[in-house]
Amino acid sequence: MKVLDAEFVKGFIRMADDGWNQGWHERNGGNLTYRIKSEEVELVKENFEPKQWQAIGTTVPALANEYFLVTGSGKYFRNVSIKPEDSICIIEVDDKGENYRIVWGLVNGGSPTSELPSHLMNMEVKKLQNPNYRVIYHAHTTNIIALTFVLPLDGKVFTRELWEMATECPVVFPSGIGVVDWMVPGGREIAVETSKLMAKHDLVIWAHHGMFAAGEDFDLTFGLMHTAEKSAEILVKMLSMQPNKRQTITPDEFRHLAKDFNVELPEEYLYEK
Ligand code: 2HA
Ligand code: ZN
């Protein structure tokens, strides 16, 4: 089967388009990774032409010998659906989890996303907790970024404030949101800090930069990013109207919601203000 005919590739391209249409991917902003199932690799591997091995820049032994569909470094989400072979690639990770090689895509040259260390380290943490996790998504979500200039850079505060802005939020991200202070993007250091928080959350904010989301499939991961960003938009609107809430959802109301919706909401987020 041609790579572009495979369902997982179509789903990946649609998600890139959806993110572009949300306005989260100016220029070459953002990146997306999908950990390909072995049966999906079998479907398309007749098209693979392995290139040179390259260092990942970190070590991900739990992802050894796996294949990933990834956006290219410097490539534009806007172009993914128009020229996918130029914008995305499939990579294979070696048997130690130290190197990768491109086996398909990026036909005009280039390399996988500059955030590959973060994508793979986050993916490794998630896979070890739940082997169904397959998608890591980084987007420049406007309202979340704006809030990192106004709220304390504390995951407890971001979680609680975003939960209060839309009733579905605690149900969609009950394990809360982590926050990484501003750091230089693109390397191992920020990847290590992000993946530590990914052990506890499915959403991690990069202050003054954007957000990472992890999930089992494209719908869940896009939906998670979208829900958090929508809630951030409501908070930005609310703060633009007046600095204080006249009324909101209380800790006891969250506890009631948790019971009826059968989710566990950690008490650390239900503090008295
Ligand atoms: O340019 O978003 O974080 C891609 C990025 C880097
Ligand atoms: Zn970025």
Side-chain angles (χ1 to χ4, degrees):
M1 178 187 279
K2 291 237 167 60
V3 171
L4 293 178
D5 290 338
E7 280 307 313
F8 73 94
V9 181
K10 291 184 193 167
F12 183 99
I13 292 172
R14 178 172 164 229
M15 180 153 159
D17 252 351
D18 287 345
W20 159 250
N21 287 322
Q22 289 296 326
W24 301 337
H25 299 287
E26 72 291 340
R27 203 172 182 276
N28 60 319
N31 17 78
L32 176 61
T33 305
Y34 172 71
R35 186 166 60 86
I36 308 173
K37 295 176 184 164
S38 52
E39 62 269 27
E40 292 168 332
V41 172
E42 290 306 312
L43 280 178
V44 298
K45 76 174 188 197
E46 64 192 13
N47 305 282
F48 290 177
E49 287 176 22
K51 305 283 191 305
Q52 292 298 312
W53 290 107
Q54 310 275 346
I56 294 170
T58 191
T59 312
V60 283
L63 301 180
N65 303 313
E66 291 220 58
Y67 291 81
F68 301 84
L69 182 57
V70 198
T71 48
S73 177
K75 299 296 181 180
Y76 292 25
F77 267 54
R78 179 171 167 252
N79 291 334
V80 168
S81 65
I82 296 159
K83 38 181 182 175
E85 294 106 324
D86 173 69
S87 306
I88 64 179
C89 63
I90 294 176
I91 60 168
E92 176 188 5
V93 170
D94 72 1
D95 57 3
K96 292 198 173 65
E98 286 173 0
N99 301 289
Y100 73 85
R101 60 180 177 183
I102 295 173
V103 299
W104 174 89
L106 288 176
V107 291
N108 297 308
S111 48
T113 168
S114 57
E115 303 295 358
L116 192 65
S118 282
H119 279 258
L120 294 184
M121 290 190 85
N122 290 339
M123 190 81 82
E124 183 178 51
V125 164
K126 287 298 173 191
K127 181 192 169 187
L128 290 170
Q129 289 178 343
N130 178 349
N132 295 325
Y133 271 66
R134 297 200 167 269
V135 184
I136 301 288
Y137 180 34
H138 169 56
H140 294 174
T141 41
T142 315
N143 293 283
I144 288 280
I145 297 169
L147 289 173
T148 64
F149 295 92
V150 174
L151 296 183
L153 297 178
D154 176 346
K156 282 196 183 71
V157 175
F158 267 87
T159 299
R160 175 66 176 276
E161 293 304 315
L162 294 180
W163 279 7
E164 284 185 36
M165 287 302 117
T167 297
E168 68 174 326
C169 286
V171 180
V172 175
F173 48 94
S175 54
I177 301 184
V179 181
V180 175
D181 286 351
W182 188 87
M183 291 178 76
V184 176
R188 183 169 187 275
E189 218 176 310
I190 195 168
V192 169
E193 292 310 309
T194 311
S195 60
K196 277 188 207 158
L197 291 169
M198 273 289 178
K200 186 171 169 193
H201 312 283
D202 286 344
L203 281 169
V204 175
I205 293 169
W206 279 2
H208 323 323
H209 183 147
M211 188 154 48
F212 268 84
E216 296 188 18
D217 61 29
F218 298 121
D219 280 348
L220 286 166
T221 314
F222 188 84
L224 183 60
M225 186 73 84
H226 199 192
T227 304
E229 169 60 9
K230 167 95 187 261
S231 191
E233 182 182 349
I234 299 168
L235 184 53
V236 167
K237 289 192 162 135
M238 186 240 113
L239 291 168
S240 313
M241 289 185 281
Q242 61 179 57
N244 299 310
K245 298 162 198 156
R246 180 169 178 152
Q247 56 270 321
T248 187
I249 308 169
T250 65
D252 272 344
E253 287 170 335
F254 280 123
R255 291 183 188 105
H256 190 174
L257 178 82
K259 213 159 148 234
D260 280 15
F261 277 75
N262 213 14
V263 289
E264 213 173 298
L265 298 182
E267 280 294 317
E268 64 177 310
Y269 301 125
L270 302 178
Y271 50 85
E272 290 302 325
K273 292 195 219 173

